[in-house]
Structures are given as structure tokens and as C-alpha cells.
Amino acid sequence: MDVVIYHNPQCGTSRNVLAMIRNSGVEPHIIEYLKCPPTRLLLTQLLDRAGLTVRQILREKGTPFHDLGLGDPSLSDDALLDAIEAHPILMNRPLVVTPKGVRLCRPSEAVLDLLPPQRGQFIKEDGERVIDDLGRRVATT
């Protein structure tokens, strides 16, 4: 299975998603989007495939979102895409592309619907058990 992850190694959610991809037996193509951001055309195609708007992919925390006034609902998609092009950190992550679809994987478990079955247990960095020893999702309470 061909999998692409738009990844930020400084992000715990992104690291967990990458680890779950690998736990499924897949070695993904890793694109560190801060170093190599997707083109405007590719990003709009990915968003379309994911069923997301440009506004839904914007990240506020730890970005210049507020300084740039991006919360203004009158801003067009083109204006938001201009901001993402100028500041790739504004793109929320991780974005994962597989033959099963495209998804913004927040929470990290969202990636599981795009992958083959997990190959054994998976525990997130924070200690939360997501997959049991048999590769099954652990029910959350």
C-alpha cells in the first residue's frame, strides 16, 4: 500500500500517526511539509479529496494565525491559501494520503481507517493504549 504522510517531526500527533502507519506494516513516503510544503494546487486537490475546506486545515496554535487576522470569516480561500503558502506552519497536520482516502488525522486514531490492520499493540507517546496485542482497537471510555 502506498501511503504519504505530510509530517512534522516536532508534533506528537504526527509522530503517533507515523508510528501507527508503520505498525500496520507500511513504510510511508514522509514529506516534512515545513521543509517541502505541498503546492497550492496539490493542497487544494488534497483538501477536496478529504472533504475539507481551507479554513478547516488551518492551525491556530503555535502559528501566526492571529497575527495575520486569519480568523476573519470574510477572508477568501485564496487569501487563506496565500497565508499557508507564506507560512506552511499554518497547515494542520498530519495529512495522510492512501488508496482508501485522504484525511487530516486529528485525533491520531483517524489514520486507522486508512490503513491495513495493525500488527500488534500500539501505545501512543502519552501512554494511551490504542491497539491491543491482537491488533484490535481498544475501546475508549
Side-chain angles (χ1 to χ4, degrees), residues 23 118-123 129 131-135:
N23 196 50
Q118 295 286 291
R119 295 182 172 183
Q121 91 168 336
F122 183 81
I123 299 171
R129 189 172 181 207
I131 304 294
D132 70 14
D133 294 338
L134 299 175

Side-chain angles (χ1 to χ4, degrees), residues 11-89:
C11 171
T13 300
S14 196
R15 289 191 305 270
N16 282 320
V17 168
L18 177 58
M20 280 187 260
I21 294 169
R22 288 178 169 154
N23 196 50
S24 74
V26 174
E27 183 55 39
H29 301 278
I30 301 169
I31 299 173
E32 290 189 32
Y33 74 94
L34 294 177
K35 294 179 182 177
C36 186
T39 65
R40 182 186 200 103
L41 176 60
L42 178 57
L43 181 57
T44 57
Q45 290 171 341
L46 292 171
L47 292 175
D48 186 52
R49 287 178 60 198
L52 296 170
T53 66
V54 178
R55 192 162 293 283
Q56 288 173 313
I57 196 87
L58 283 175
R59 180 171 178 83
E60 295 182 36
K61 183 179 172 186
T63 74
F65 178 92
H66 295 291
D67 293 340
L68 297 172
L70 299 179
D72 180 348
S74 70
L75 289 175
S76 68
D77 284 353
D78 281 334
L80 298 175
L81 287 166
D82 288 343
I84 292 171
E85 279 185 315
H87 307 278
I89 192 71

